[in-house]
């Protein structure tokens, strides 16, 4: 049964959620024995990888005089500051201060740089951005990219958007922009829109568009159907704080896509796209075709988000209308429910109570 929704103002944007893992960089960006400075949630972060491959993260600021540690170098398995040569272990503890005399009473080990849990998984370096208001909250496990089988091929692509995290996430789950933003002589046009009905169900920290036949207007899906020779099903999940998963399957063949909206600063978000598949491994030029379509779609999304940012500078009110905008409402309510759960210690009051069918045209 489809929901009937009245117009109402969109909730106010809110800061990115703490207490979650965020993708700071691709794994290939930090080679063994090197380090890299990045910005994540407006925080300067130094990513390090020792020569034996261990990864770590710390605040990219020397506690001595505020010099970004990323201007320095890796000296063995230590980080050496460019300014005065202070050295730090990968857990943030100061190991040496060259200016101290041999009989100095100062113990460098009592000086520390803030460190962050860091993991190398599924092609990304992930950093856990904890919430100091809830120091006893356990660190949640890092979600894996669904990879049903191996071997497989993988493609990663990142691009910066002039967008807040909330606007980026809402754009990520918007089902109605496709015929207008993703136009081509090969696929979607506004005149080709038709009614759609999709059923959603709650999942922990998110919601799922349950298995259904993918769009007939998408050449990549139709190519997959042609290769597989069977009927495709696709399942789409959104999970707090910023992750969208899509798994397309036909028998033993599959394509798994994860898109992350990674908050860099208050008004800058990075879209991290990662696709893995086993279906085109033997098809000549299959990978090239997939990457071509993926980059084309992502470039169109970037243009749309960057253009929208021009209007958002004027802080216009939003009107979320009908079933096409219901996922955006769930996102805002889910985010607020998570914050309330932390504050009260009560289980999260999920805004989606059971299976719901939404209808829209696209």
């Amino acid at each position: 049964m489809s929901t009937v929704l009245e117009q109402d103002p969109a909730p106010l944007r809110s800061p990115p959620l703490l207490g979650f893992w965020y993708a700071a960089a691709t794994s290939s960006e930090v080679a063994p024995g090197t380090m890299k400075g990045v910005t994540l949630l407006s925080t300067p972060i130094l990513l390090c990888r020792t020569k034996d491959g261990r990864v770590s993260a710390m605040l990219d600021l020397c506690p001595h005089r505020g010099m970004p540690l990323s201007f320095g170098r890796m000296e063995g398995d230590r980080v050496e500051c460019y300014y005065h040569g202070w050295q730090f272990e990968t857990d943030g503890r100061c190991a040496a201060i060259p200016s101290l005399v041999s009989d100095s009473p100062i113990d460098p080990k009592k000086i520390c740089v803030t460190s962050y849990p860091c993991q190398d998984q599924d092609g990304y370096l992930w950093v856990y951005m904890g919430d100091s208001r809830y120091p006893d909250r356990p660190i949640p496990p890092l979600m894996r990219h669904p990879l049903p089988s191996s071997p497989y091929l993988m493609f990663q692509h990142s691009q910066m958007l002039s967008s807040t995290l909330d606007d980026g996430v809402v754009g990520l789950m918007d089902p109605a922009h496709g015929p207008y933003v993703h136009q081509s002589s090969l696929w979607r046009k506004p005149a080709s829109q038709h009614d759609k009905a999709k059923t959603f169900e709650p999942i922990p920290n998110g919601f799922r568009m349950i298995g259904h036949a993918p769009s007939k207007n998408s050449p990549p899906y139709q190519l997959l159907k042609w290769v597989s020779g069977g009927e495709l099903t696709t399942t789409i999940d959104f999970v707090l704080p910023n992750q969208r998963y899509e798994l397309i399957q036909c028998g033993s063949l599959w394509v798994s896509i994860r898109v992350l909206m990674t908050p860099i600063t208050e008004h800058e978000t990075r879209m991290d796209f990662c696709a893995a598949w086993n279906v085109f491994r033997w098809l000549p030029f299959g990978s090239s075709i997939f990457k071509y379509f993926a980059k084309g779609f992502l470039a169109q999304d970037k243009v749309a988000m960057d253009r929208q940012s021009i209007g958002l500078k004027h802080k216009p009110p939003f009107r979320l209308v009908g079933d096409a905008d219901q996922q955006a409402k769930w996102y805002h309510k889910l985010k607020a429910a998570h914050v309330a759960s932390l504050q009260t210690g009560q289980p999260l009051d999920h805004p989606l109570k059971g299976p719901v069918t939404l209808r829209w045209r696209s």
Side-chain angles (χ1 to χ4, degrees), residues 9 22 40 46 165 191 198 206 226 257 305 309 333 335:
Y22 288 92
L40 194 61
L46 181 69
L165 173 63
K198 309 294 183 185
W226 174 77
I257 299 171
M305 295 300 297
S309 70
K333 291 179 179 179
K335 194 174 177 183

Side-chain angles (χ1 to χ4, degrees), residues 286-307:
S287 295
S288 298
I289 294 172
F290 182 91
K291 293 176 182 179
Y292 172 80
F293 281 118
K295 287 184 176 181
F297 269 66
L298 295 172
Q300 290 171 329
D301 281 324
K302 175 175 171 55
V303 170
M305 295 300 297
D306 287 347
R307 288 177 174 177

Side-chain angles (χ1 to χ4, degrees), residues 105-340:
I106 297 174
D107 183 1
K109 294 181 180 180
K110 294 183 178 180
I111 302 173
C112 295
V113 178
T114 300
S115 61
Y116 302 85
C118 183
Q119 290 189 33
D120 185 351
Q121 181 174 289
D122 297 333
Y124 291 94
L125 294 185
W126 300 81
V127 174
Y128 178 73
M129 303 298 287
D131 192 333
S132 59
R133 296 171 296 179
Y134 308 101
D136 297 329
R137 184 188 179 206
I139 298 177
L142 179 54
M143 290 187 63
R144 298 301 304 260
H145 187 155
L147 301 171
S149 63
S150 59
Y152 55 83
L153 300 177
M154 181 173 282
F155 165 64
Q156 293 173 297
H157 180 73
S158 298
Q159 58 189 25
M160 297 300 299
L161 306 176
S162 300
S163 166
T164 67
L165 173 63
D166 283 351
D167 291 327
V169 169
V170 168
L172 185 65
M173 60 181 60
D174 171 25
H177 73 276
Y180 300 93
V181 172
H182 298 300
Q183 291 192 41
S184 168
S185 59
L186 299 177
W187 63 82
R188 293 185 179 96
K189 297 180 181 179
S192 67
Q193 294 184 77
H194 57 278
D195 289 357
K196 294 183 178 180
K198 309 294 183 185
T199 301
F200 294 78
E201 62 183 5
I203 59 176
N205 278 338
F207 47 86
R208 169 174 296 156
M209 183 189 296
I210 65 174
H212 60 280
S215 173
K216 295 180 180 180
N217 294 329
S218 173
Y221 288 156
Q222 295 311 303
L223 177 61
L224 178 57
K225 183 176 181 179
W226 174 77
V227 172
S228 65
E231 292 301 318
L232 306 181
T233 60
T234 182
T235 302
I236 300 175
D237 291 355
F238 172 78
V239 183
L240 286 179
N242 62 340
Q243 304 193 38
R244 180 187 186 273
Y245 296 88
E246 183 169 2
L247 181 61
I248 306 105
Q249 292 180 293
C250 181
S252 62
L253 302 179
W254 54 269
V255 177
S256 181
I257 299 171
R258 175 166 62 186
V259 184
L260 311 169
M261 286 294 179
T262 303
I264 305 303
T265 64
E266 184 179 358
H267 297 289
E268 192 174 31
T269 299
R270 189 182 68 238
M271 177 190 289
D272 293 307
F273 175 92
C274 182
W277 62 92
N278 72 345
V279 65
F280 297 131
R281 290 186 300 110
W282 51 267
L283 183 67
F285 307 110
S287 295
S288 298
I289 294 172
F290 182 91
K291 293 176 182 179
Y292 172 80
F293 281 118
K295 287 184 176 181
F297 269 66
L298 295 172
Q300 290 171 329
D301 281 324
K302 175 175 171 55
V303 170
M305 295 300 297
D306 287 347
R307 288 177 174 177
Q308 183 191 27
S309 70
I310 297 173
L312 294 179
K313 291 177 181 178
H314 302 282
K315 299 181 179 180
F318 280 11
R319 307 295 288 185
L320 300 183
V321 182
D323 283 13
D325 286 332
Q326 182 59 48
Q327 294 181 71
K329 291 185 177 184
W330 286 338
Y331 163 68
H332 287 293
K333 291 179 179 179
L334 191 63
K335 194 174 177 183
H338 172 80
V339 173

Side-chain angles (χ1 to χ4, degrees), residues 94-112:
C94 184
I97 300 177
S99 62
L100 293 180
V101 295
S102 59
D103 58 350
S104 172
I106 297 174
D107 183 1
K109 294 181 180 180
K110 294 183 178 180
I111 302 173
C112 295

